[in-house]
Amino acid sequence: MDSKRIGAFFVDFIITAIIMEIPFMILVILPLIKGQQPSDVILRTLISTLIAFLYLVLRDLPKNGSIGKRIFKLKIIDSKTKEAASLKQRFLRNIPLLLNWIEIITFVCSGKRIGDRLAKTDVVQK
């Protein structure tokens, strides 16, 4: 099960990276290639990063979860009721992903993400 969860994470990570790179290329790289010196490079970089973070936090909002979870046939459930997690739980569990490495290290050490503990959710096989 953990290998499927890690696989789903990597699929979502790659999608997040692609989502970040497209606006970064348009907002930062292309103007630099064309010889323009955008005075707001930092702002443009932050915008592309924000777009990627939005996907990262909102990716599980669809009832079937993220693209990675769909590919690996996983679902998010409420830890207590074992029913499908609520919209609020699916949103809340991804907020700690903004902590990056702390969230990953916690999962590797304990087998459960901070976000799952906070939202009281589990990820299980469909």
Side-chain angles (χ1 to χ4, degrees):
M1 167 58 179
D2 282 342
S3 62
K4 287 189 175 198
R5 232 183 131 173
I6 292 168
F9 171 81
F10 277 113
V11 167
D12 291 329
F13 179 80
I14 290 168
I15 292 168
T16 303
I18 291 169
I19 288 172
M20 182 176 174
E21 290 306 315
I22 292 171
F24 185 77
M25 288 292 293
I26 294 168
L27 295 173
V28 178
I29 302 298
L30 288 178
L32 292 175
I33 289 172
K34 291 180 179 179
Q36 300 171 3
Q37 294 297 322
S39 58
D40 55 353
V41 171
I42 293 174
L43 177 63
R44 291 171 182 231
T45 302
L46 288 174
I47 290 170
S48 65
T49 303
L50 176 64
I51 292 168
F53 276 141
L54 283 173
Y55 173 75
L56 196 62
V57 171
L58 303 177
R59 66 186 178 172
D60 286 326
L61 290 187
K63 190 163 177 77
N64 293 329
S66 69
I67 295 170
K69 286 182 189 64
R70 289 179 201 167
I71 290 171
F72 284 89
K73 295 180 174 50
L74 301 172
K75 65 180 178 179
I76 305 165
I77 62 168
D78 184 295
S79 294
K80 292 180 183 178
T81 66
K82 304 301 181 202
E83 297 293 322
S86 69
L87 184 66
K88 178 182 173 185
Q89 286 175 304
R90 294 192 312 268
F91 174 75
L92 186 60
R93 72 182 295 275
N94 285 334
I95 298 296
L97 284 173
L98 300 177
L99 300 173
N100 279 329
W101 291 105
I102 296 170
E103 181 74 304
I104 293 169
I105 292 167
T106 302
F107 176 74
V108 169
C109 293
S110 70
K112 191 157 185 159
R113 289 185 35 228
I114 296 168
D116 285 322
R117 294 172 199 272
L118 182 66
K120 296 177 177 62
T121 57
D122 290 316
V123 177
V124 297
Q125 189 71 42
K126 282 186 183 178

